[in-house]
Amino acid sequence: MSVDPVLQSHYDSFWSALDDVRFDEWKTQLPEILNEALDPEGNGNLERWIKALKEIQTFLPAGEKDLIDLNASAITIEYAKSLQDIEKNNLINALKALHPWRKGPFKIDQIEIDTEWHSDWKWDRVRPHLNSLQGRRVLDIGCGSGYHLWRMAGESPELAVGIDPSLLFYSQFLALKHFIGEQVPAYFLPLTLEQLPVSQKGGAFDTVFSMGVLYHRRSPIDHILDLKAQLLPGGQLVLETLVVPESFGQLLMPEDRYAQMRNVWFLPSVSELEIWLARCGFKNIRCVDLNQTSIEEQRSTEWMEWNSLESFLDPDDHNKTIEGYPAPLRAVMLCDKPK
């Protein structure tokens, strides 16, 4: 197979960033796994996304006099000399060729990418409760286009790695990576958690995030154990997932769809989720945030023109999904892997 250089070049500096014996399995096993994941025969849209990326890469990356802000609500790149109107329009067209943009927002010069999700709202709920990420190794499972990964990178970690099997999200990440540049140690692997090698020395990351993934897994306990395997002893797990109110009961398994999603399997209550985490061997388990998703946080925009949350809720009662289940309620759970 022949992987397009526009996809492969992202890893030029990645292997040297894995300078630790705990990453030995990654360095030996990942190159072949990545080549298979980036096979152009695997996705019929990839050629179109690569064409858009090549157009985006004709624009200059940020220079020394430009602004890069990874700690703003919208990941921001501002040029000291703004784009001309024709340049701006060409860049908008290239970026919109990567539709739909679900996680964000982003701002490139005067172009505001207003994504489906206000992912900054979730980060604002999560960030105050985290251990410091400075100088740490961070893994983000199900990272989408990389919005939260860039926010993590803004905390000055030693290494930030995002995992998501979507090549569209990978293309969106590379679009932002082009402007932000190589000086930020953030990398995207278009893989699933199950494809990641496991260190024989007991994990390699100080903090592992799984936000918006658990309810998509047919085996949530295996997912939690796989997250644990990537953590160093004493490391912190950040698990954000859909739950049901305690008044609903212990667990919801939808008969067919949940908020029109077929790939939703198990929604536990917080107290049930605490039991799962404890059975998996985690300590210091606590729920630090509980939030019902609003139609202001998740909605259709010109950058994600398909149906969004409002279409999936009971039109007469937004506390219920269209199927009659409790509306999306998201819990942020923190816990520690024992030393």
Side-chain angles (χ1 to χ4, degrees), residues 217-288:
R217 311 314 299 158
R218 297 181 199 181
S219 178
I221 301 301
D222 286 340
H223 180 72
I224 294 170
L225 290 172
D226 288 341
L227 295 169
K228 184 183 177 185
Q230 296 295 336
L231 270 172
L232 285 162
Q236 183 177 62
L237 173 65
V238 183
L239 180 66
E240 190 265 5
T241 188
L242 289 175
V243 295
V244 289
E246 296 291 332
S247 59
F248 179 86
Q250 184 179 15
L251 183 70
L252 165 64
M253 184 179 186
E255 291 184 15
D256 182 23
R257 297 189 182 204
Y258 174 84
Q260 289 297 287
M261 294 183 286
R262 285 193 182 275
N263 60 344
V264 172
W265 294 92
F266 298 98
L267 279 67
S269 65
V270 168
S271 58
E272 177 68 10
L273 186 51
E274 289 172 344
I275 294 172
W276 292 3
L277 292 166
R279 286 290 300 273
C280 290
F282 283 98
K283 305 296 183 184
N284 194 23
I285 301 163
R286 63 268 191 208
C287 177
V288 298

Side-chain angles (χ1 to χ4, degrees), residues 124-274:
D124 288 344
R125 294 193 293 266
V126 170
R127 180 63 193 92
H129 308 286
L130 300 179
N131 293 342
S132 173
L133 302 183
Q134 185 172 3
R136 304 292 186 172
R137 294 172 182 162
V138 181
L139 181 64
D140 183 14
I141 304 300
C143 66
S145 59
Y147 174 85
H148 291 124
L149 186 64
W150 290 120
R151 295 300 300 265
M152 295 167 198
E155 303 280 332
S156 301
E158 176 186 319
L159 176 68
V161 180
I163 308 294
D164 198 296
S166 168
L167 291 178
L168 172 60
F169 293 157
Y170 180 51
S171 300
Q172 292 171 349
F173 175 85
L174 291 184
L176 269 292
K177 179 79 170 181
H178 168 70
F179 294 103
I180 293 170
E182 294 295 328
Q183 72 272 22
V184 179
Y187 301 93
F188 187 121
L189 304 179
L191 306 174
T192 65
L193 173 59
E194 294 79 11
Q195 289 177 287
L196 289 186
V198 176
S199 171
Q200 297 304 306
K201 297 187 180 298
F205 291 91
D206 300 285
T207 309
V208 171
F209 291 81
S210 172
M211 299 196 290
V213 179
L214 185 68
Y215 48 89
H216 292 312
R217 311 314 299 158
R218 297 181 199 181
S219 178
I221 301 301
D222 286 340
H223 180 72
I224 294 170
L225 290 172
D226 288 341
L227 295 169
K228 184 183 177 185
Q230 296 295 336
L231 270 172
L232 285 162
Q236 183 177 62
L237 173 65
V238 183
L239 180 66
E240 190 265 5
T241 188
L242 289 175
V243 295
V244 289
E246 296 291 332
S247 59
F248 179 86
Q250 184 179 15
L251 183 70
L252 165 64
M253 184 179 186
E255 291 184 15
D256 182 23
R257 297 189 182 204
Y258 174 84
Q260 289 297 287
M261 294 183 286
R262 285 193 182 275
N263 60 344
V264 172
W265 294 92
F266 298 98
L267 279 67
S269 65
V270 168
S271 58
E272 177 68 10
L273 186 51
E274 289 172 344

